[in-house]
Amino acid sequence: MDNKDSEAEIHPLKTEDVKAQENHENSVERRIVSKQSSRLSRLSRWRTAAFFISLFLCLIIVFAFSFIIPCPERPVSERTWFRNYDNAVAYQFLAIEDVNEDKVQDVIFAFKASNSSSSFNRSCLDEGLPSPCAFVAAVSGTNGRALWERPAAEEIEWMECDIKQLGEAAVPGCLVVGKPVSLTTVALRTGEVLWRQSSDFGANYTVLTPVSVIPDVDSDGVQDLIIFITFIHSGKDGRQIGSAGSLNVDGKARYVILNLDSSSYFLFYTGTVLFVNSVCKSDYNSEIRITRQLSERSFCILKKTIIISLSLFSSGDIRYLAKIPGQSRENILVVNSEMATLINAQNLQTLWTLNTSRVVRYEPLLGYYKPDVLGIVLESEIGPNMKKSGSGAVQWDLKLNSRAKSPGPATLSTADHRSAFLIWGEYQLGTHGQLYLFHPSYTNVLLELRNSTDQIIAFNATLFERSRHACYVLLRGPPPSEEPGPVSLMKRKLKEDVSESRVIWLSQVAVDSEQYIRDRLYRMRFHSRV
């Protein structure tokens, strides 16, 4: 301190300069700190403003969607509806498709009458057809309102409604094979006729069922169709492509497509004969067609030479042929008058056989008795007016009394990866045709849902909305072989019948109360498989 005081006395001006410099440095530091504080303050204000603006925009969006922009209305489906026609006959055909694109399935069916319903007031003469004629109609799955009705043919021999590309616009539609032989396509959405063909297909023709959709053979931008075994037709306008083959058989034939060695083959049957048909495209006016008739005890896959030959069948008429999905591959099911045979589609080895000498209905039903394990349901006769339903290497069977021309069974996929089975029959003698519900979770329980004294022409069950709204559809009335009368189409929600059902114990042991069983099956959830 003494030194500093001495220096200050010796150099008074220097001391003042140092103090001035220190004051200046302190002032600069204060200004820097002040500027930094000002920037932080402005940044904080901007952040606060951005937060409140974002919050305000979110509130506006929520308000708009809640009160200003209306939410899409979900169709309210009626639990039960009816559609009635007078002085008509019904065809054994039901298709389930979303016709009006409201995400609810609709119903397509066919009937024969002189005029359509009063909703459209169409007559057979409008389409140049004699009266009465066959109409194709679509009704809404929500309330049974008629969406469209269209005269299609004098009589209907076959009909199919899941064809994705038809006509100039390549729109979804239905194909109607009429009698006398004619082809008519109808747009699925509007019911408008896309094209008609009434060429002479010969006295002996074979309808391929279901219709085979093949790639665009004539390069017109629309996939083509094999409707008859010996003809290919353009999906755009129905004209015949190329020349007819030499195969000459009668009736209807089912088929499967085998993909072997990067080539596709049609394997189809008529009567007691199996055929392999390979169609190769070079130029559509000069297509190469290979057709071979094969014995009833063997069939061959042909590619220039025979590469596979395997004895599969004993004697007996072949009644059904179909591809069956498997866990890792597809298999082929062949049903004849004596046995059902499941065959590996790749190596043609027999996987299993089942005696079908008394099968009631040769077209099998697919369902899931075990979780995610596909089963095949066949109905066989076990005595006069009695039938048995069972599947595969028999996992379960059910004995019911049966009437002539009773409807076939149906299945609905459930959320537990199994199926609910709907079966017509009579568990006790003296009752009329009853509809029963069976689910594998209760193997000793059968629910009696409803009875019907009317003649049922067609029956189907489906989920009218994705994974929900399980319903069944009944088409009742006189068939085409009888005199006209009232025709009725009905859709009914399955839960309505479950809540009022009667519980039948298949064994003497009742594990739970009847109301508990009804409640559990009423709350059963369903699942739409892809």
Side-chain angles (χ1 to χ4, degrees), residues 110-318:
F111 65 94
K112 184 177 182 180
S114 298
N115 296 287
S116 66
S117 65
S118 58
S119 303
F120 295 93
N121 197 24
R122 292 184 181 274
S123 68
C124 301
L125 297 177
D126 294 338
E127 297 293 334
L129 297 170
S131 182
C133 65
F135 284 77
V136 179
V139 299
S140 170
T142 58
N143 53 21
R145 177 179 61 88
L147 300 175
W148 51 260
E149 295 173 353
R150 176 69 59 179
E154 292 185 39
E155 293 277 357
I156 292 180
E157 179 176 357
W158 177 260
M159 185 172 165
E160 194 168 326
C161 277
D162 58 353
I163 303 175
K164 304 304 180 185
Q165 294 183 13
L166 286 173
E168 293 277 349
V171 296
C174 299
L175 171 70
V176 178
V177 179
K179 294 173 60 178
V181 186
S182 64
L183 302 177
T184 303
T185 55
V186 179
L188 183 68
R189 309 296 180 213
T190 63
E192 296 298 322
V193 173
L194 299 173
W195 50 260
R196 291 183 187 271
Q197 288 288 341
S198 56
S199 304
D200 183 11
F201 301 109
N204 298 323
Y205 61 89
T206 302
V207 179
L208 203 62
T209 59
V211 171
S212 176
V213 178
I214 61 174
D216 184 13
V217 174
D218 54 356
S219 302
D220 61 1
V222 182
Q223 60 191 13
D224 298 314
L225 310 170
I226 300 181
I227 305 170
F228 307 106
I229 288 180
T230 55
F231 298 97
I232 297 179
H233 290 268
S234 168
K236 186 174 184 178
D237 53 21
R239 61 188 172 81
Q240 182 181 324
I241 300 174
S243 58
S246 59
L247 191 60
N248 187 21
V249 289
D250 288 327
K252 293 185 178 68
R254 292 193 66 91
Y255 71 94
V256 296
I257 299 177
L258 297 178
N259 298 309
L260 300 173
D261 299 329
S262 70
S263 298
S264 295
Y265 299 89
F266 283 86
L267 175 64
F268 56 93
Y269 78 92
T270 61
T272 60
V273 183
L274 279 167
F275 298 90
V276 173
N277 190 20
S278 174
V279 181
C280 310
K281 174 190 171 185
S282 51
D283 177 76
Y284 73 87
N285 287 321
S286 59
E287 61 184 290
I288 303 169
R289 179 180 293 272
I290 305 169
T291 304
R292 295 290 184 269
Q293 179 173 331
L294 307 163
S295 71
E296 35 180 89
R297 294 191 61 84
S298 65
F299 72 91
C300 307
I301 308 301
L302 303 178
K303 187 179 181 183
K304 295 184 179 178
T305 60
I306 296 174
I307 55 176
I308 300 175
S309 179
L310 183 66
S311 177
L312 290 174
F313 311 107
S314 61
S315 60
D317 293 344
I318 299 168

Side-chain angles (χ1 to χ4, degrees), residues 4 7 88 97 129 182 202 243 278 287 338-339 366 368 422 430:
K4 288 184 179 181
E7 188 176 356
E97 299 282 347
L129 297 170
S182 64
S243 58
S278 174
E287 61 184 290
E338 292 189 358
M339 68 175 60
L366 303 182
Y368 294 85
L422 296 170

Side-chain angles (χ1 to χ4, degrees), residues 45-60:
R45 286 196 296 271
W46 278 113
R47 287 176 176 173
T48 303
F51 170 76
F52 281 106
I53 290 172
S54 301
L55 181 62
F56 182 69
L57 289 175
C58 290
L59 291 174
I60 290 176

Side-chain angles (χ1 to χ4, degrees), residues 49 61 82 126 144 158 195 231 266 320 337 340 417 443 508 517:
I61 293 172
F82 293 87
D126 294 338
W158 177 260
W195 50 260
F231 298 97
F266 283 86
Y320 191 81
S337 56
H417 301 276
T443 56
Q508 298 298 323
I517 297 294

Side-chain angles (χ1 to χ4, degrees), residues 210-476:
V211 171
S212 176
V213 178
I214 61 174
D216 184 13
V217 174
D218 54 356
S219 302
D220 61 1
V222 182
Q223 60 191 13
D224 298 314
L225 310 170
I226 300 181
I227 305 170
F228 307 106
I229 288 180
T230 55
F231 298 97
I232 297 179
H233 290 268
S234 168
K236 186 174 184 178
D237 53 21
R239 61 188 172 81
Q240 182 181 324
I241 300 174
S243 58
S246 59
L247 191 60
N248 187 21
V249 289
D250 288 327
K252 293 185 178 68
R254 292 193 66 91
Y255 71 94
V256 296
I257 299 177
L258 297 178
N259 298 309
L260 300 173
D261 299 329
S262 70
S263 298
S264 295
Y265 299 89
F266 283 86
L267 175 64
F268 56 93
Y269 78 92
T270 61
T272 60
V273 183
L274 279 167
F275 298 90
V276 173
N277 190 20
S278 174
V279 181
C280 310
K281 174 190 171 185
S282 51
D283 177 76
Y284 73 87
N285 287 321
S286 59
E287 61 184 290
I288 303 169
R289 179 180 293 272
I290 305 169
T291 304
R292 295 290 184 269
Q293 179 173 331
L294 307 163
S295 71
E296 35 180 89
R297 294 191 61 84
S298 65
F299 72 91
C300 307
I301 308 301
L302 303 178
K303 187 179 181 183
K304 295 184 179 178
T305 60
I306 296 174
I307 55 176
I308 300 175
S309 179
L310 183 66
S311 177
L312 290 174
F313 311 107
S314 61
S315 60
D317 293 344
I318 299 168
R319 304 298 177 87
Y320 191 81
L321 184 69
K323 264 189 179 181
I324 305 297
Q327 292 182 341
S328 59
R329 63 183 184 278
E330 289 183 322
N331 300 314
I332 302 171
L333 178 69
V334 182
V335 182
N336 64 20
S337 56
E338 292 189 358
M339 68 175 60
T341 306
L342 190 67
I343 306 162
N344 186 316
Q346 296 299 315
N347 56 25
L348 305 183
Q349 296 295 317
T350 300
L351 301 177
W352 54 255
T353 60
L354 182 68
N355 181 17
T356 58
S357 59
R358 307 188 74 174
V359 164
V360 176
R361 192 171 284 102
Y362 286 96
E363 183 172 355
L365 179 71
L366 303 182
Y368 294 85
Y369 181 78
K370 296 181 178 179
D372 293 325
V373 178
L374 188 63
I376 302 171
V377 181
L378 291 166
E379 290 185 320
S380 61
E381 184 180 358
I382 57 176
N385 299 320
M386 295 189 70
K387 68 180 180 182
K388 178 175 70 174
S389 296
S391 64
V394 181
Q395 297 174 340
W396 65 274
D397 60 43
L398 174 67
K399 297 178 177 63
L400 295 172
N401 298 297
S402 177
R403 293 179 179 269
K405 299 181 180 179
S406 64
T411 61
L412 292 168
S413 294
T414 54
D416 62 356
H417 301 276
R418 292 187 282 192
S419 295
F421 296 84
L422 296 170
I423 305 167
W424 288 91
E426 299 171 8
Y427 188 74
Q428 294 176 334
L429 288 172
T431 59
H432 294 287
Q434 305 279 345
L435 178 60
Y436 298 96
L437 171 67
F438 172 83
H439 191 268
S441 59
Y442 295 99
T443 56
N444 65 328
V445 170
L446 196 64
L447 281 192
E448 183 180 285
L449 299 182
R450 68 174 293 118
N451 60 12
S452 178
T453 57
D454 297 328
Q455 188 169 6
I456 299 173
I457 302 300
F459 164 73
N460 201 351
T462 190
L463 302 181
F464 272 70
E465 298 177 62
R466 184 167 181 80
S467 297
R468 64 186 302 271
H469 202 70
C471 300
Y472 62 86
V473 181
L474 290 178
L475 179 61
R476 294 174 289 191

